[in-house]
Amino acid sequence: MDYEHTREQEMIREAVRSFAEGEIAPVAQELDEAEKFSPELTRKMGEIGLFGMFVSEKYGGQGLDYVSYIIGVEEVARIDGSQAATVAAGNSLGIGPLYYFGTEEQKQKYLPKLCAGEGLWGFGLTEPQAGSDAGGTQTTAVRDGDEWVLNGSKIFITNAASPISMGVTVQAITGRRDDGKPRYTCFLVEHGMRGFTAREMKRKMMWRSSNTAELFFDNVRVPKANILGNVGDGFHQMLKTLDGGRLSIGAMGLGGAQGAYELALKYAKKREQFGQPIGKFQAIAFKLADCAMEIECARNLLYKACWLRDKKKPYEKLAAMGKLYCSETMGRVVNHAVQIHGGYGLMKEYGVERFYRDQKLLDIGEGTSEVQRIVISRYIGC
Amino acid sequence: METVVLVKRVPDTETLVRIAPDAKGILLDGARMVMNPYDEIALEEALRLRDIHGGAVCALSAGGEKTVETLRTALAMGADKAVLLTGLESGSADSLTLARAIAAFLRSLPFDLVLAGARAVDDDGYQVGPMVAEFLGIPQLTFAVRVLVEGGAVTCHRAVDGETVVARAALPALVTAHKGLNQPRFASVVGIMKAQKKPVETVTLAGLALPEGKARVETRSVRLAPERAGGLIIQGETPEEKAKVLVRALADAGAL
């Protein structure tokens, strides 16, 4: 057993923490209120190396392990959920599928820019009629000579309609298997292809300065060179991508919980009522003790899942557990954190309400908490 | 151009400081340790000057094993190499002892410019940089908010008493960096990876020809600054009345 990170991993934590405190913290609240995505901040996150951490240096990545990447997401989420979303989705859903399933040409074409934070790539899976039930997918692709013709739409796609979005990996039905079930294939659809429209979705409750898009495909002709991997690989690619994605959503829950907990602890030491700091009252102290304990459990669970992945051992069950537990831990922590702040916790200037709002997505995105419980229950043989 | 940057490992100013049981220092276990922010500015300037004039940047620090972490941060930011001076008993070394040791080491090294933070945020001595320059017998330009190197000389804008003094010195020289000189870069993940491969040399004081001299400062005791007492709000209907109350309060406090 060894519970220590490597020196490199500790330095990465320190570096990302300094960056997040110095560059993200001063603008997080303002961007949230304006519901504004910042290409400048994204580029800065690219400069310090938050994109492509697990990608080989050959394609502009940093060639690090998954634990390092998760530490990076965690430290950004400790300060701001929106920027963490840009990083987590940018890596796990944007860069990930291209890196793991793309051809050499595709990797060389897209990855260097994405790893530099100069461009973003989306992952188009969810549709208006296909949320937890991915079987409801209606987007289709039909072959026509050397091209495929896409029709359909996608919704809630992170990073897909920003000023620096370059394209989207789109899952579409490309036929039927012998058992009648749909056969899925992923296509790399670039911004600017005729018939492809990406519209930014506004008026969100959370992740307000991350970019969320609705995508429309109206007879979009995609060359066959833009097929990700092989025809029919789409379903498998999606499952693999979501397994890794769960770890980064877990990191957002963990980091967000840590950030909200630190705000609450600081406030509890400073705020006085009945002649003493409120942290001296057990009603408050016990809440903070619970937060500290649950964050510790969440961290150990998530890091173990990442460690398994880095060791190339089965990690899927723990990834689902980590995503679920970290999300729900953050839910309990932000609830306590706002409660400890009392009336001030409801006001924007104290920052803790932003954590409260940002948490809710984690129970829903990249597989709802209910879906995670289905995944876990299958793994334990129910 | 060869540049040496003096860096110090200090507790983060956000860290809650606790006094050691013997009251001779503070407890650092559990404290978040960082590079002195003024040294970060000095290092940033050295890196920028290197980009213009070429050469190498060496980060130098004195301290124990943990100080290597701070040097690694300097390397991650972009320094080319790092040197750790060991053998100074922590706590017992005053600024003079430290400056003497650093100067002794620097004599063995070819350099054109030494950069240091104008102050360290832990003990706020403002001393080590200037003392090193004195020991080495080189010019010093302190509190620099702008640095220009050309024609074998360094020109600095020095922030002094709210004014700016422009001064020029022949190289080699020592410059201390003040707030406003630049905005230090963040160590990048790529920088951290590269830093693992860069050399950190350890030099023990025993191996240096140290001139005679004792520490001149002894720490007798350390205590926390007293909590600020509540202020006094002067009450009164008219300015005259308030003035009277104020004068009485100042007299009572022994200030008049």
Side-chain angles (χ1 to χ4, degrees):
Chain A
M1 287 291 275
D2 184 357
Y3 279 99
E4 287 200 327
H5 288 306
T6 64
R7 185 176 72 196
E8 233 167 64
Q9 288 162 346
E10 281 308 326
M11 283 186 75
I12 287 166
R13 180 186 298 285
E14 197 53 47
V16 178
R17 178 168 291 205
S18 303
F19 170 83
E21 288 175 353
E23 295 282 319
I24 300 176
V27 295
Q29 197 68 23
E30 192 185 315
L31 290 172
D32 175 85
E33 281 181 45
E35 201 171 10
K36 193 169 175 285
F37 170 84
S38 167
E40 298 80 34
L41 198 49
T42 305
R43 191 183 42 76
K44 281 184 186 171
M45 293 196 289
E47 276 171 13
I48 73 147
L50 280 167
F51 292 98
M53 281 168 82
F54 52 82
V55 172
S56 140
E57 289 159 82
K58 192 174 150 196
Y59 305 110
Q62 278 72 256
L64 290 165
D65 56 12
Y66 222 75
V67 172
S68 301
Y69 161 49
I70 288 308
I71 288 174
V73 175
E74 179 191 344
E75 286 301 324
V76 175
R78 176 177 163 269
I79 298 297
D80 183 31
S82 290
Q83 305 315 317
T86 303
V87 172
N91 282 293
S92 293
L93 306 181
I95 291 170
L98 288 166
Y99 181 54
Y100 293 119
F101 311 119
T103 63
E104 186 60 30
E105 291 74 35
Q106 289 166 350
K107 289 192 228 185
Q108 290 194 359
K109 183 173 180 190
Y110 303 118
L111 288 178
K113 238 181 147 181
L114 298 177
C115 291
E118 286 168 15
L120 287 170
W121 198 270
F123 185 65
L125 181 63
T126 302
E127 297 188 7
Q129 304 304 326
S132 292
D133 178 14
T137 299
Q138 291 172 357
T139 299
T140 57
V142 178
R143 189 167 179 178
D144 181 15
D146 276 349
E147 292 177 326
W148 289 74
V149 183
L150 261 73
N151 278 290
S153 66
K154 300 282 175 182
I155 196 165
F156 306 131
I157 310 305
T158 305
N159 288 342
S162 78
I164 57 170
S165 295
M166 291 163 58
V168 197
T169 303
V170 180
Q171 196 196 50
I173 297 174
T174 48
R176 296 273 155 193
R177 302 193 312 200
D178 294 343
D179 60 4
K181 288 189 174 165
R183 181 192 297 274
Y184 296 101
T185 303
C186 287
F187 295 87
L188 307 179
V189 179
E190 294 173 21
H191 279 254
M193 282 182 171
R194 187 194 287 268
F196 170 38
T197 320
R199 193 171 61 82
E200 187 177 1
M201 297 175 77
K202 287 282 198 179
R203 305 183 70 203
K204 286 183 292 182
M205 176 176 98
M206 47 0 89
W207 288 14
R208 287 168 57 86
S209 51
S210 93
N211 179 270
T212 309
E214 204 170 351
L215 311 175
F216 304 94
F217 308 95
D218 179 13
N219 285 314
V220 182
R221 301 188 78 86
V222 181
K224 77 173 182 203
N226 282 33
I227 288 175
L228 184 68
N230 300 308
V231 173
D233 282 353
F235 191 69
H236 167 79
Q237 291 169 349
M238 173 200 75
L239 288 182
K240 287 278 163 217
T241 301
L242 290 183
D243 281 334
R246 279 174 193 143
L247 298 175
S248 63
I249 294 283
M252 294 188 62
L254 174 59
Q258 179 72 34
Y261 158 74
E262 286 177 26
L263 287 175
L265 182 62
K266 199 169 164 187
Y267 185 79
K269 287 180 177 175
K270 208 175 59 188
R271 167 75 170 172
E272 290 192 7
Q273 288 287 275
F274 305 103
Q276 61 176 337
I278 58 172
K280 295 284 176 207
F281 296 105
Q282 287 189 337
I284 303 297
F286 283 10
K287 284 186 178 67
L288 288 163
D290 283 346
C291 291
M293 173 183 69
E294 288 203 48
I295 290 169
E296 187 66 25
C297 293
R299 182 167 284 127
N300 284 319
L301 177 57
L302 187 68
Y303 287 172
K304 185 176 175 190
C306 297
W307 177 84
L308 286 170
R309 184 188 159 114
D310 282 333
K311 294 276 173 201
K312 311 243 185 288
K313 292 171 190 270
Y315 73 101
E316 293 78 4
K317 179 178 77 179
L318 258 69
M321 287 179 170
K323 193 262 181 188
L324 176 61
Y325 191 74
C326 290
S327 302
E328 295 197 343
T329 291
M330 183 178 173
R332 288 183 287 269
V333 171
V334 293
N335 191 36
H336 284 327
V338 171
Q339 190 69 20
I340 289 168
H341 278 76
Y344 296 107
L346 305 171
M347 307 306 289
K348 291 210 179 291
E349 65 198 272
Y350 279 77
V352 71
E353 63 85 40
R354 183 161 47 85
F355 285 84
Y356 190 86
R357 286 184 286 111
D358 281 345
Q359 183 275 331
K360 195 56 206 167
L361 186 134
L362 306 181
D363 295 335
I364 297 171
E366 289 196 48
T368 61
S369 292
E370 292 76 8
V371 166
Q372 303 306 327
R373 287 188 165 86
I374 291 174
V375 172
I376 296 165
S377 63
R378 284 186 185 153
Y379 273 109
I380 60 175
C382 289
Chain B
M1 189 172 75
E2 300 304 307
T3 308
V4 179
V5 183
L6 310 183
V7 300
K8 184 177 185 183
R9 182 175 170 83
V10 298
D12 184 48
T13 45
E14 292 272 302
T15 290
L16 217 60
V17 173
R18 286 177 300 139
I19 305 293
D22 68 357
K24 295 270 171 116
I26 55 171
L27 292 175
L28 294 177
D29 48 316
R32 180 183 177 190
M33 302 297 286
V34 297
M35 187 191 302
N36 173 34
Y38 286 82
D39 299 345
E40 281 185 345
I41 299 172
L43 176 57
E44 175 66 36
E45 199 61 22
L47 298 174
R48 291 183 189 192
L49 289 170
R50 180 191 61 189
D51 289 346
I52 301 168
H53 303 285
V57 172
C58 173
L60 172 68
S61 191
E65 208 178 299
K66 284 273 176 192
T67 307
V68 173
E69 285 174 25
T70 307
L71 289 172
R72 290 258 173 233
T73 304
L75 293 171
M77 281 174 72
D80 301 282
K81 55 192 169 186
V83 175
L84 174 69
L85 283 181
T86 62
L88 286 171
E89 272 177 65
S90 70
S92 72
D94 64 349
S95 303
L96 191 71
T97 316
L98 194 59
R100 197 182 281 130
I102 291 170
F105 172 71
L106 287 179
R107 278 196 197 92
S108 70
L109 208 70
F111 66 86
D112 302 292
L113 183 65
V114 180
L115 273 157
R119 55 186 272 220
V121 297
D122 54 353
D123 53 19
D124 259 335
Y126 293 78
Q127 293 179 334
V128 173
M131 284 175 172
V132 167
E134 286 303 309
F135 280 123
L136 290 173
I138 59 173
Q140 53 172 298
L141 298 173
T142 52
F143 300 104
V145 291
R146 214 177 136 198
V147 176
L148 204 78
V149 171
E150 57 183 0
V154 56
T155 305
C156 292
H157 287 221
R158 304 179 53 230
V160 181
D161 287 341
E163 303 288 332
T164 303
V165 175
V166 182
R168 188 179 146 93
L171 296 177
L174 182 141
V175 171
T176 72
H178 199 38
K179 226 178 230 167
L181 174 58
N182 58 46
Q183 186 63 44
R185 69 193 67 187
F186 291 97
S188 73
V189 174
V190 183
I192 290 169
M193 303 299 294
K194 285 186 185 156
Q196 312 303 321
K197 289 170 200 138
K198 291 178 184 172
V200 178
E201 189 190 343
T202 303
V203 176
T204 54
L205 284 183
L208 295 174
L210 274 190
E212 287 292 304
K214 282 195 178 125
R216 300 291 180 91
V217 177
E218 176 202 351
T219 302
R220 293 270 176 88
S221 74
V222 173
R223 61 174 183 273
L224 292 174
E227 293 241 359
R228 191 188 295 186
L232 174 66
I233 295 171
I234 303 293
Q235 309 280 356
E237 294 293 319
T238 62
E240 289 78 11
E241 205 179 311
K242 285 183 184 172
K244 266 187 203 156
V245 179
L246 174 61
V247 169
R248 203 180 309 131
L250 289 171
D252 288 349
L256 294 179

